[in-house]
């Protein structure tokens, strides 16, 4: 195989969820269809980092335009500024946006506390989060880190850091998925669902 | 109680077993052959397809056959047709390009835990004599195997506990003993650790009562045998927290946490003295037999189906009296047994249904 072709295959195979076979399919497809498809894709990909940068307020993806750089959510005046939802990564924010029920604002940490991967508290933008809450206007901080060991440790850490600021701090629930049949739920999830039960 | 039965087994490229298909007997299956022919590999393949794991290695790559440099790695696969009561299912264990996969009736199980408890299996191999003579790790594994059936929720916290404990250690190293985030990791160590100790205590309680009965039946003279669960940390949150905090400097220096369920043990004693240092060889073997008998009984009760038993060359490590005790136990316990030996004539199955197989260079052939 030509080294150039191999290089392209390797680049595709670096993407999450793309293995060697899929990389082959993509590259062969691009080589055998209208060349404009590959050219457009190439232009869009090479522009990505110039067009999008982290939002200067919440770290969500934002289109570069005026300064300061603001994402669509931070620009949206109809969003409730008193509810601030803290998430680990942008994809979690997008997932939380899907139901459309949370009309507050976000803060993206960009990671979780994970000493085993060398991520300590200093690697997270917590001072910026504290500053944002301190500026006022926030009534509730929702900690929406995942229910993993690292996610729970991060939640405990955030609770401590935000504890003295006079805002209510909540944690997302963990339990049974919608339409889930109790019979088929794993015992840990079921246990959490019982722990998190509420009066009706 | 119903026995779990392996009706048919089909092995491909599992260590030195290139291709093997056979239908085992519902009672005794004796695999004989010289050393290094693949006898233990048959048991390991059975264990893998029933439990999703190996009892010899934690690396799935070890299960691949040796390939010539530049050769194509084969797909390792074991299929078992399993009957429980009037239901028959097919379980499959495979390793392809270093990745393990398991299926029940071609469907992916909900979790590995669900797979591991679907078809209970107990293995007894020579290394397990260290249950009585060796360090606590083997005894914790015994507790965990049993807890999988008697307290699955608690034992599923082992992974989270281990991650929290390691994270605390790393945080101590990176940020010192006064860093506030050490508190958070300790909170999680305690939360998962308490759940884990509760599960192990429940497993121990069931094992102890069964093992003592078994031990007394091996030794007719009373030896004052005692078995008890020794938790590696206080089983109360505040005391646990205080101990962790007190040990921070020490743990940092030693590179490991002094307390926690990773130090749990099952203490074995005879007439008040620790068995590990005071028991005779014969007593050690009897203790191990008693613990294994308890594992078989408790898992059977908790699961509601008698487990499949795998015995790897056990009589070579037991003396004559203990071997007899083992076989009288096996004859009394119904259920399917697979065993390996270099001397099949010494396996006293006494009229029970039995199939003999010979192993030579990875090929299994029935002996009539």
């Amino acid at each position: 195989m030509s080294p150039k072709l191999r290089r392209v295959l390797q680049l595709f195979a670096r993407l999450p969820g793309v293995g060697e076979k899929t990389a082959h399919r993509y590259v062969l497809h691009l080589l055998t269809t209208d060349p404009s498809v590959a050219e457009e894709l190439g232009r869009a990909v090479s522009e990505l980092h110039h067009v999008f940068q982290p939002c200067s307020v919440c770290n969500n993806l934002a289109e570069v335009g005026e300064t300061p750089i603001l994402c669509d959510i931070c620009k949206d005046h109809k969003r409730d500024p008193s509810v601030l939802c803290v998430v680990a990564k942008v994809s979690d924010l997008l997932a939380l946006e899907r139901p459309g029920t949370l009309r507050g604002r976000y803060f993206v940490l960009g990671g979780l506390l994970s000493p085993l991967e060398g991520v300590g508290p200093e690697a997270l933008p917590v001072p910026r989060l504290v500053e944002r809450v301190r500026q006022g206007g926030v009534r509730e901080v929702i900690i929406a880190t995942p229910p993993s060991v690292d996610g729970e440790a991060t939640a405990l850490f955030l609770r401590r850091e935000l504890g003295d600021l006079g805002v209510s701090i909540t944690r997302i629930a963990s339990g049974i998925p919608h339409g889930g049949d109790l019979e088929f739920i794993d015992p840990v999830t079921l246990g959490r669902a019982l722990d998190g039960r509420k009066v009706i | 109680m119903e026995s779990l039965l392996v009706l048919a087994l089909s092995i491909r490229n599992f260590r030195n077993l290139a291709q093997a298909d056979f239908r085992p007997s519902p009672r005794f299956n004796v695999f004989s052959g010289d050393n290094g022919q693949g006898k233990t590999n048959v048991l390991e393949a059975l264990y893998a397809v029933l439990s999703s794991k190996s009892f010899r290695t934690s690396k799935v790559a070890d299960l691949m056959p040796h390939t010539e440099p530049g050769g194509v790695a084969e797909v390792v696969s074991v299929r078992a047709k399993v009957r429980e009561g009037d239901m028959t299912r097919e379980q499959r264990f495979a390793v392809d390009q270093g990745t393990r996969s398991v299926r029940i009736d071609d469907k992916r199980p909900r979790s590995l835990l669900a797979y591991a408890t679907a078809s209970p299996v107990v293995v007894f191999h020579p290394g397990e004599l260290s249950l009585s003579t060796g360090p606590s790790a083997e005894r914790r594994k015994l507790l965990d195997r049993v807890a999988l059936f008697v307290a699955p929720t608690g034992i599923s916290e082992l992974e989270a506990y281990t991650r929290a404990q390691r994270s605390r250690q790393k945080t101590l190293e990176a940020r010192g003993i006064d860093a506030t985030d050490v508190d958070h990791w300790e909170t999680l160590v305690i939360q998962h650790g308490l759940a884990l100790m509760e599960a192990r205590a429940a497993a121990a309680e069931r094992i102890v009562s069964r093992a003592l009965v078994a031990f007394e039946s091996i030794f007719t003279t009373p030896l004052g045998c005692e078995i008890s669960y020794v938790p590696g940390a206080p089983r109360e949150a505040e005391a646990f927290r205080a101990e962790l905090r007190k040990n921070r400097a020490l743990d940092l220096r030693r590179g490991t946490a002094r307390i926690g369920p990773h130090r749990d043990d099952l203490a074995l004693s005879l007439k008040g003295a620790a068995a590990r240092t005071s028991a005779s060889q014969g007593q050690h073997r009897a203790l191990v037999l008693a613990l294994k008998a308890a594992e078989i009984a408790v898992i059977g009760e908790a699961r509601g189906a008698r487990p499949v038993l795998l015995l790897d060359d056990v009589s070579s490590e037991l003396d004559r009296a203990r071997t007899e005790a083992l076989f009288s136990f096996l004859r009394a316990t119904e259920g399917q047994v697979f065993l390996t030996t270099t001397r099949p004539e010494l396996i006293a199955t006494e009229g029970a249904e039995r199939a003999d197989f010979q192993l030579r260079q990875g090929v299994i052939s029935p002996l009539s």
Side-chain angles (χ1 to χ4, degrees), chain B residues 35 46 48 54 73-75 129 154 164 201-202 218 223 244 249 287 310-311:
Chain B
N35 288 320
L46 259 164
S54 160
E74 303 276 2
V75 176
L129 288 172
I218 299 169
L223 282 169
L244 279 173
L287 271 170
L310 312 177
L311 292 100

Side-chain angles (χ1 to χ4, degrees), chain A residues 107-122:
Chain A
F107 189 85
V108 182
L109 288 171
L112 294 172
L113 276 188
S114 181
L116 298 179
E117 273 94 56
V119 183
E122 69 287 342

Side-chain angles (χ1 to χ4, degrees), chain B residues 37-89:
Chain B
Q37 302 301 307
K39 298 190 296 293
T40 305
N41 296 350
V42 177
L43 300 192
E44 193 184 21
L46 259 164
Y47 193 79
V49 75
L50 296 177
S51 77
S52 83
K53 289 188 197 138
S54 160
F55 57 84
R56 289 203 282 188
T57 175
S58 56
K59 292 193 220 90
V60 287
D62 292 348
L63 307 179
M64 318 260 270
H66 293 294
T67 40
E68 299 299 318
V72 182
E74 303 276 2
V75 176
V76 179
S77 123
V78 187
R79 283 170 187 275
K81 201 169 169 192
V82 180
R83 195 175 79 200
E84 184 180 350
D86 51 7
M87 300 278 281
T88 306
R89 60 177 172 264

Side-chain angles (χ1 to χ4, degrees), chain A residues 120-198:
Chain A
E122 69 287 342
L124 300 179
V126 176
R128 261 179 62 202
L129 173 62
V130 171
E131 190 46 41
R132 178 152 168 208
V133 175
R134 189 169 280 150
Q135 279 167 6
V138 177
R139 186 172 42 82
E140 177 183 1
V141 177
I142 304 171
I143 302 178
T145 54
S148 62
V149 176
D150 291 351
E152 295 295 356
T154 308
L156 290 168
F157 177 66
L158 292 177
R159 187 185 66 186
R160 164 97 58 120
E161 295 296 308
L162 300 170
D164 304 331
L165 301 177
V167 292
S168 133
I169 300 170
T170 56
R171 177 97 178 94
I172 51 164
S174 149
I176 300 159
H178 175 71
D181 200 332
L182 293 196
E183 188 185 353
F184 299 116
I185 308 288
D186 71 275
V188 175
T189 306
L190 211 48
R192 281 174 187 261
L194 278 173
D195 287 343
R197 68 189 184 275
K198 56 186 179 186

Side-chain angles (χ1 to χ4, degrees), chain A residues 113-117 121-122 149-150 152-153 156-157 160-161 184-188, chain B residues 110 152-153 156 160 163-164 166-167 170-171 175 180-181 183-185 187-188 192:
Chain A
L113 276 188
S114 181
L116 298 179
E117 273 94 56
E122 69 287 342
V149 176
D150 291 351
E152 295 295 356
L156 290 168
F157 177 66
R160 164 97 58 120
E161 295 296 308
F184 299 116
I185 308 288
D186 71 275
V188 175
Chain B
R110 265 177 292 140
T153 319
S156 67
R163 188 167 180 94
R166 289 199 187 132
S167 298
K170 276 272 178 223
T171 304
R175 315 224 326 130
T180 52
D181 36 331
D183 292 352
H184 310 318
W185 292 113
T187 300
L188 293 171
H192 297 299

Side-chain angles (χ1 to χ4, degrees), chain B residues 53-344:
Chain B
K53 289 188 197 138
S54 160
F55 57 84
R56 289 203 282 188
T57 175
S58 56
K59 292 193 220 90
V60 287
D62 292 348
L63 307 179
M64 318 260 270
H66 293 294
T67 40
E68 299 299 318
V72 182
E74 303 276 2
V75 176
V76 179
S77 123
V78 187
R79 283 170 187 275
K81 201 169 169 192
V82 180
R83 195 175 79 200
E84 184 180 350
D86 51 7
M87 300 278 281
T88 306
R89 60 177 172 264
E90 192 195 65
Q91 298 195 199
R92 177 170 188 260
F93 168 92
V95 180
D96 189 4
Q97 299 186 356
T99 309
R100 165 181 62 178
S101 66
V102 288
R103 295 286 183 276
I104 296 180
D105 288 334
D106 282 329
K107 282 193 282 289
R108 192 197 291 261
R110 265 177 292 140
S111 61
L112 274 183
L113 188 133
Y115 188 89
T117 50
S119 300
V121 56
V122 174
V123 62
F124 189 5
H125 55 86
E128 275 179 300
L129 288 172
S130 67
L131 261 177
S132 167
T133 56
S136 55
E138 286 301 317
R139 292 184 289 279
R140 276 194 299 280
K141 281 189 205 155
L142 168 70
L143 289 174
D144 291 352
R145 286 194 301 270
V146 171
L148 205 59
F149 292 89
V150 305
T153 319
I155 203 65
S156 67
E157 306 234 4
L158 174 59
E159 203 181 318
Y161 167 77
T162 307
R163 188 167 180 94
Q165 184 67 267
R166 289 199 187 132
S167 298
R168 169 185 179 267
Q169 194 64 33
K170 276 272 178 223
T171 304
L172 285 174
E173 285 162 22
R175 315 224 326 130
I177 61 170
D178 295 318
T180 52
D181 36 331
V182 179
D183 292 352
H184 310 318
W185 292 113
E186 287 179 354
T187 300
L188 293 171
V189 164
I190 293 162
Q191 183 191 322
H192 297 299
L194 288 175
L196 180 58
M197 288 189 285
E198 195 176 319
R200 286 193 178 145
E205 195 183 324
R206 305 275 291 263
I207 291 172
V208 169
S209 58
R210 284 296 192 147
L212 291 179
V213 174
F215 189 78
E216 296 295 321
S217 75
I218 299 169
F219 276 102
T220 38
T221 45
L223 282 169
C225 176
E226 280 180 41
I227 305 174
S228 59
Y229 172 58
V230 184
R235 291 191 50 202
E236 188 275 315
E238 282 320 303
F240 195 167
R241 184 182 296 280
E243 285 279 301
L244 279 173
R245 186 178 288 268
K246 197 179 78 191
N247 285 323
R248 282 180 186 179
L250 180 73
D251 291 351
L252 174 59
R253 250 194 336 272
R254 302 205 327 181
T256 169
R258 203 179 68 83
I259 65 155
H262 61 290
R263 304 286 302 269
D264 279 358
D265 202 352
L266 195 62
L268 313 172
S269 69
L270 297 174
K271 287 185 178 154
R276 195 172 159 190
T277 48
S278 70
S280 71
Q281 285 302 313
Q283 288 166 340
H284 276 307
R285 290 170 177 150
L287 271 170
V288 171
L289 267 186
L291 289 172
K292 292 308 286 189
E295 180 181 349
I296 294 163
V298 176
I299 289 180
E301 279 165 13
R303 176 59 181 69
R306 204 172 282 116
V308 171
L309 294 192
L310 312 177
L311 292 100
D312 188 20
D313 203 14
V314 174
S315 48
S316 71
E317 294 293 327
L318 297 178
D319 49 35
R320 176 180 286 268
R322 249 51 73 183
T323 304
E324 268 164 28
L326 172 65
F327 280 95
S328 80
F329 169 78
L330 291 177
R331 285 190 302 267
T333 331
E334 290 166 42
Q336 198 174 25
V337 181
F338 292 82
L339 55 92
T340 66
T341 180
T342 48
R343 304 183 62 189

Side-chain angles (χ1 to χ4, degrees), chain A residues 27-41:
Chain A
V27 174
L28 284 178
H29 174 80
L30 290 171
L31 279 172
T32 48
T33 48
D34 188 349
S36 67
V37 176
E39 278 158 22
E40 258 178 65
L41 178 68

